[in-house]
Amino acid sequence: MINTQIKPFNATAFKNGEFVEISEKDVLGKWAVFFFYPADFTFVCPTELGDVADKYEELQKLGVEVYSVSTDTHFTHKAWHDSSETIGKINYYMVGDQTGNITNNFNVMREGQGLADRATFLIDPEGTIQAMEITAEGIGRDAEDLMRKVKAAQYVAAHPGEVCPAKWKEGEATLAPSLDLVGKI
């Protein structure tokens, strides 16, 4: 999946109290995070979605849009948004993928269940997948680590010839791969 293009899709999302139509064309031209989760009204999912909601303003400042995706309908997303304090703070797109088209496009549909895996994809402005993370059902993701990955991907995109080492944080030293570094790290 890394370095592949996102595939065409059309869907209805709940955002800012409204239902809006979106497609892959809306994703192009900016950085995007697709944040797949199994289902609304569950246990780990709201903790993750709330964590991303707490980082949404910072993501927006980095030019990143967030699309949370489950196979629930956009109507269910609205009901969850209206009934949960944690989900009620979400201002990013909550995409209904009841047909499974988007979930299947990203190869994260649980076979025979109709539910998405717990998966995150970071997409660059050209629509190319730059990072992905998939965890087991009981393992929640960390928005702080997502922020680190976004910043690293944006840094690498803006600085060809440089790479970010493990645990890299914004402002820290990067590496310039070369024959001189082989065996010296």
Side-chain angles (χ1 to χ4, degrees):
M1 296 289 297
I2 299 296
N3 291 321
T4 64
Q5 293 295 119
I6 60 168
K7 296 178 181 175
F9 71 87
N10 290 294
T12 304
F14 178 72
K15 184 174 187 336
N16 295 330
E18 297 180 357
F19 295 132
V20 293
E21 298 301 315
I22 62 167
S23 74
E24 79 286 352
K25 292 178 182 96
D26 297 306
V27 177
L28 300 176
K30 59 185 167 278
W31 288 85
V33 168
F34 275 70
F35 199 80
F36 290 88
Y37 63 98
D40 290 2
F41 295 99
T42 55
F43 316 104
V44 175
C45 300
T47 66
E48 295 180 308
L49 294 168
D51 192 30
V52 172
D54 291 340
K55 296 290 184 187
Y56 184 59
E57 187 175 323
E58 191 176 344
L59 286 162
Q60 290 275 277
K61 289 177 184 172
L62 293 171
V64 179
E65 187 54 75
V66 175
Y67 301 87
S68 66
V69 184
S70 77
T71 55
D72 297 290
T73 68
H74 54 286
F75 298 112
T76 305
H77 292 330
K78 181 192 182 313
W80 196 24
H81 190 274
D82 291 349
S83 66
S84 166
E85 186 177 321
T86 299
I87 300 306
K89 64 184 178 180
I90 292 174
N91 292 318
Y92 51 78
Y93 292 90
M94 298 181 74
V95 183
D97 186 31
Q98 63 272 18
T99 66
N101 184 49
I102 303 167
T103 306
N104 282 313
N105 282 353
F106 283 87
N107 294 322
V108 293
M109 180 69 79
R110 293 180 185 173
E111 191 168 335
Q113 294 184 31
L115 300 174
D117 280 327
R118 203 172 295 291
T120 308
F121 294 86
L122 175 59
I123 300 160
D124 71 18
E126 288 74 44
T128 304
I129 298 170
Q130 293 298 319
M132 61 186 277
E133 174 185 21
I134 302 174
T135 66
E137 175 65 27
I139 303 171
R141 294 160 285 178
D142 183 346
E144 191 63 44
D145 193 48
L146 173 61
M147 293 295 303
R148 185 190 67 78
K149 290 174 187 173
V150 166
K151 290 175 183 180
Q154 290 181 337
Y155 184 91
V156 168
H159 300 90
E162 292 183 47
V163 296
C164 297
K167 298 184 181 182
W168 179 87
K169 300 260 193 294
E170 187 175 30
E172 293 181 350
T174 58
L175 301 171
S178 69
L179 186 59
D180 294 340
L181 285 182
V182 175
K184 299 204 171 126
I185 297 176

